[in-house]
Amino acid sequence: MNTDQNNETRQRQAEAATPILDDTAGANEDISAAYDKQIYTSNAFPFTSPGHLRAAAHLYGLNSVPLAQARVLELGCAGGGNLLPFALAYPQAQVLGVDLSAVQVAQGQQVIDALGVKNLRLQAMSLTDITPDFGQFDYIIAHGVFSWVPPEVREAMMRIVRDNLSPLGLGYISYNTYPGWKAGDIVRDAMLLHSHSAQTDEDKLASAKAMLRLLSGGIAQTNPLAPSLRAAVAQLEKHSDYYIAHEYLELFNNPCYLLEFASMAEQHDLVHVGDSEPNIELSVTYGQNVQLNHSLVALGQPRVLRQQYLDFAVGRNFRKSLLVRGDRTEQILIGPDLERLADLRWAAYFIEAPLDEATSEGMTVFRNHQNKLLYTRDTLVIQVVKALSSAWPVSLNFDTLLTARTNATI
Ligand SMILES: C[S@@+](CC[C@H](N)C(=O)[O-])C[C@H]1O[C@@H](n2cnc3c(N)ncnc32)[C@H](O)[C@@H]1O
């Protein structure tokens, strides 16, 4: 090919790329306008915090960077609420959040300044503008973003984890997954259909919610999907209007299978490690039948395929994936190693709850900070819970916990 032909080819390629870039820019504008208008409550999610990711990675056999001076980047950080507890706990760490919505970033930065937090900064920008020279980070976190952005932004997220992660760094991306979201897709399609001509956000939400009535009370007995749809609607009805608007009525909501996510990671020279809550990857968590059948069908299969099978058994609709650089593949264990729990520090706070009618003889009930109940008649569990609760908020190492639990009174 001569130079002219080369130039022509390049020009054609550039022209072909332009509409995609325009689309992304347009989509980014729509997304930032939506979040500027309807501000996202910027919460902290403990399972995304660097300390939690480091502990989870340890169970999967991976070393990571100590927290005290870690460099942390959050993509789509909204008002920085997820970064604030970490930045306060580790004043020598360097923490940066980026988000498209200038309004959310400004609000978050105001809170940070008012608290006098010096090691946390928020930046209003599109993550697609992040390049390798933006810096290296030991933890890159993106919670609740991947499924809600156009494909080019998803690509950019993978690229950033590849290019901006330090050698021992941990990436975290959460996303909606199939098969659990199949029913959710139908509910979302129906809600979008009924609300498509609404002129205001309020009307859109009202129309969308009207559709929920058809899919619950109005669903035909003969509809083969009725149980799944009813369950999806019942789940949705527990949430606020604000959640419904963001989770179901956003411009983009693209769930994917774990296998698709892992393969996209691989294309970016990253490797999928496992969920940031490793207990969800253990088939025993879902009972003996699941454990037995899963072990039969998954026998000898690669790690990620075993997990995809488990997602089918469980009907998983959300994943919180840890990613590392591709050159660490050999270091990852086939599954979380529970022996390694003994290397971690332990902290928990429970109060003993009054016995209810459902409680059988000899059972003790504890309630945690999320109002979740723990029923047990196992003396060892009771001792551990009591030892941890009386030490709270101090954490204990495994040996101290073993000693403390023998002193705990039952
Ligand atoms: C569903 S919210 C999640 C916010 C927060 N991570 C959480 O879980 O609470 C998605 C966030 O991603 C941001 N976002 C979407 N596209 C983005 C982009 N291209 N660059 C940076 N942030 C983006 C939105 O502005 C919004 O704050």
Side-chain angles (χ1 to χ4, degrees), residues 28 31 35 40 45 76 99-100 104 125-127 143-144 149 153:
N28 276 352
I31 292 172
Y35 283 104
Y40 209 84
F45 302 92
D99 199 285
L100 203 51
Q104 297 191 104
M125 65 181 289
S126 173
L127 64 91
H143 182 62
V149 288
V153 181

Side-chain angles (χ1 to χ4, degrees), residues 89-144:
Y90 296 95
Q92 298 306 316
Q94 296 165 41
V95 190
L96 174 61
V98 301
D99 199 285
L100 203 51
S101 159
V103 174
Q104 297 191 104
V105 164
Q107 284 188 357
Q109 193 62 52
Q110 242 177 6
V111 174
I112 293 164
D113 294 342
L115 289 171
V117 181
K118 299 282 180 253
N119 60 331
L120 167 58
R121 189 167 60 83
L122 305 184
Q123 194 165 326
M125 65 181 289
S126 173
L127 64 91
T128 49
D129 293 332
I130 293 179
T131 52
D133 58 16
F134 196 74
Q136 290 273 294
F137 297 88
D138 306 309
Y139 296 88
I140 299 182
I141 301 162
H143 182 62

Side-chain angles (χ1 to χ4, degrees), residues 63 65 71 136-138 165-169 324-325 327-328:
N63 287 335
V65 174
R71 297 158 297 177
Q136 290 273 294
F137 297 88
D138 306 309
L165 197 63
S166 64
L168 284 185
V324 292
R325 288 157 66 139
D327 57 11
R328 302 187 72 188

Side-chain angles (χ1 to χ4, degrees), residues 295-308:
S295 66
L296 288 175
V297 75
L299 189 71
Q301 299 291 357
R303 196 163 39 86
V304 68
L305 196 54
R306 293 165 68 91
Q307 281 305 311
Q308 181 60 73

Side-chain angles (χ1 to χ4, degrees), residues 350-351 365-374:
F350 286 86
I351 51 169
V365 189
F366 294 100
R367 186 187 295 282
N368 77 359
H369 64 288
Q370 289 177 319
N371 265 339
K372 288 201 172 139
L373 295 175
L374 168 72

